[in-house]
Amino acid sequence: MHTPVISGTGVFTPGETITNAELVQAFNAYAEAFNTEHATAIAAGEIEAKGPSSEDFIFKASGIEQRYVMNKSGVLDPAIMHPTLRQRTDDEPGIMAEMALDACQKALAQAGVDASEVDLVICAASNHERAYPAIAVEIQKLLGAGGFAFDMNVACSSATFGIQAAADMLRAGSARKALVVNPEICSGHLEWRDRDCHFIFGDVCTATLIERADEAKAPRFKIRSTRCATEFSNNIRNNNGFLRRTRTTGQDLDDRRDMQFMQEGRKVFKEVVPMVSAHILAHLEAEGVVPDALKRMWLHQANKSMNDFVGRKVLGRTPEAEEQPNILQDYANTSSAGSIIAFSQHQSNLAAGDIGVICSFGAGYSVGSVVVERL
Ligand code: COA
């Protein structure tokens, strides 16, 4: 059995940001136009008027201050309210593959690994821009990597589930150097006209290079163990799929509302927090690590209070900001990529022997944790 290590991470950050102030201004203009257009039906009680969004609510409820997006103008145009991304021809690189290439090249450079040495690419994300050929195979070709590649989707837990798959293959010898890449264009499956969730997501791509400990050259983290768990829930759901054509939810926006992100936010909060903290504690116990020995928690980045709860429950006290770093104030929820952004940006001051846990959670429900040790 070989020992897998993480020797490189890369983050592609889109060039455009949307602040809460910009977002709220666009939403409120849309809501006002909607209410004017439907004034008669609203007065007759047939349609509910749309209430305004607020910066204060967004920050207090989530901790989010801004988000990066692949297209700002479409999202902020009250007459459009979604990203307007040019449809590429089949002969051009896809947009997810292009984001992935940037993140992968950064991870490879950090690890000092040439793309030609990579023999496994997993594109693990919460949505893929097409059914096939796999985005991962396109990334493999653009990189000039060998071996094999495949896509997988475990929503917000895609990165940690992907790391488990890659680490297990490295241990078993079926792959030698793996890239787990998470291109997340969450702006494309967010309903920006829904006040309850329009502030939640942002776009980004992360990549993690995993190789055998005896081959790694760069500063690295040993993957001590991984643990994945799932439990079915409808509380975070997106019905988009190849068999779906018609509306099923009876919501007022249009006939595609249920083919985008939908959630029962309160239920998610209540149910996922205990699931995640119990999961991390059980994983640490099995690994023989007492919570006090944990130097860092790189958690999924959906909601600040949620992370504060998990951190308190795992450590038995309020974690120091450094122990449980958040990046969601800058990036918002970037689905599977969030914990990897946190890991990539907040690890440099750890010393040899320090132990941390990367943990993501979300739709499914799903929870994935990776216990790592700085070598
Ligand atoms: N601006 C102003 N008010 C808003 C608003 C907005 N953008 N969105 C909702 N509100 C209002 C609601 O209408 C509600 O009003 P009411 O009390 O008069 O009914 C009130 O604010 C509270 O809404 P609620 O949805 O209950 O807010 P919340 O405090 O539960 O926070 C979430 C909402 C989504 C931030 C929170 O539930 C959450 O983070 N859940 C987990 C999310 C998550 O991790 N999802 C996983 C995705 S991968």
Side-chain angles (χ1 to χ4, degrees):
M1 290 283 251
H2 304 281
T3 302
V5 296
I6 297 176
S7 53
T9 52
V11 180
F12 163 80
T13 302
E16 300 188 319
T17 55
I18 298 179
T19 63
N20 288 348
E22 292 172 311
L23 186 71
V24 165
Q25 191 185 11
F27 179 88
N28 289 349
Y30 154 75
E32 222 177 286
F34 178 94
N35 292 344
T36 305
E37 188 188 337
H38 297 92
T40 314
I42 290 168
E46 291 157 14
I47 295 181
E48 235 180 85
K50 290 199 182 292
S53 185
S54 102
E55 279 180 69
D56 196 38
F57 173 86
I58 294 171
F59 182 67
K60 279 200 189 124
S62 69
I64 295 165
E65 294 173 34
Q66 62 157 42
R67 67 283 299 139
Y68 291 91
V69 287
M70 294 301 284
N71 170 260
K72 174 174 179 167
S73 58
V75 168
L76 290 187
D77 183 336
I80 300 176
M81 302 287 278
H82 59 75
T84 46
L85 298 168
R86 182 178 65 82
Q87 192 69 46
R88 302 185 177 197
T89 68
D90 291 355
D91 299 324
E92 295 176 274
I95 189 165
M96 286 179 71
E98 208 169 78
M99 295 163 79
L101 191 62
D102 182 273
C104 287
Q105 281 165 345
K106 287 173 178 154
L108 288 164
Q110 196 180 82
V113 169
D114 193 81
S116 61
E117 299 174 68
V118 170
D119 59 358
L120 169 62
V121 179
I122 300 178
C123 179
S126 54
N127 250 310
H128 294 94
E129 67 182 289
R130 61 171 180 268
Y132 45 81
I135 315 290
V137 179
E138 188 182 7
I139 298 166
Q140 175 196 25
K141 178 179 173 239
L142 292 171
L143 281 170
F148 63 103
F150 61 89
D151 290 349
M152 58 181 276
N153 178 354
V154 198
C156 289
S157 299
S158 297
T160 50
F161 277 57
I163 289 172
Q164 165 156 311
D168 284 353
M169 283 190 249
L170 256 84
R171 282 194 190 92
S174 51
R176 236 182 149 98
K177 291 195 197 295
L179 275 164
V180 179
V181 57
N182 323 105
E184 293 286 7
I185 309 184
C186 300
S187 62
H189 50 106
L190 174 61
E191 178 49 87
W192 295 89
R193 297 171 297 177
D194 183 339
R195 186 181 74 143
D196 288 353
C197 65
H198 77 121
F199 54 89
I200 287 181
F201 287 117
D203 301 335
V204 80
C205 179
T206 49
T208 306
L209 193 280
I210 303 163
E211 57 183 323
R212 290 183 187 181
D214 56 0
E215 293 183 354
K217 302 181 280 278
R220 51 201 171 268
F221 285 86
K222 174 178 163 184
I223 298 179
R224 285 178 55 139
S225 65
T226 58
R227 181 176 280 211
C228 296
T230 49
E231 208 175 280
F232 186 69
S233 166
N234 268 325
N235 289 332
I236 312 172
R237 192 169 171 117
N238 180 333
N239 279 335
N240 204 5
F242 77 108
L243 294 178
R244 302 303 292 265
R245 297 277 185 278
T246 53
R247 148 187 181 149
T248 54
T249 59
Q251 299 206 22
D252 62 7
L253 289 169
D254 59 30
D255 63 1
R256 286 188 57 83
R257 179 64 190 97
D258 70 321
M259 298 199 209
Q260 289 169 306
F261 168 83
M262 298 189 295
Q263 78 164 349
E264 296 281 347
R266 288 254 160 141
K267 287 189 189 160
V268 173
F269 200 111
K270 263 194 161 148
E271 292 168 8
V272 171
V273 167
M275 188 177 166
V276 172
S277 37
H279 179 95
I280 295 176
L281 285 167
H283 189 179
L284 292 177
E285 194 182 350
E287 196 50 45
V289 176
V290 293
D292 267 350
L294 202 59
K295 284 285 184 300
R296 200 139 303 172
M297 275 181 287
W298 300 278
L299 299 179
H300 173 49
Q301 302 284 315
N303 181 290
K304 183 173 181 304
S305 332
M306 212 165 174
N307 284 4
D308 291 348
F309 263 99
V310 172
R312 269 204 302 277
K313 195 88 186 140
V314 170
L315 294 187
R317 59 175 168 83
T318 304
E320 300 296 329
E322 189 187 63
E323 290 178 299
Q324 184 215 286
N326 285 324
I327 54 87
L328 54 74
Q329 63 281 3
D330 301 320
Y331 282 87
N333 182 345
T334 49
S335 195
S336 69
S339 55
I340 305 298
I341 305 174
F343 175 68
S344 113
Q345 293 186 354
H346 298 274
Q347 50 155 272
S348 59
N349 59 349
L350 292 180
D354 282 352
I355 293 171
V357 63
I358 304 170
C359 182
S360 56
F361 39 88
Y365 295 134
S366 55
V367 192
S369 51
V370 182
V371 173
V372 294
E373 179 182 334
R374 186 77 162 80
L375 293 180

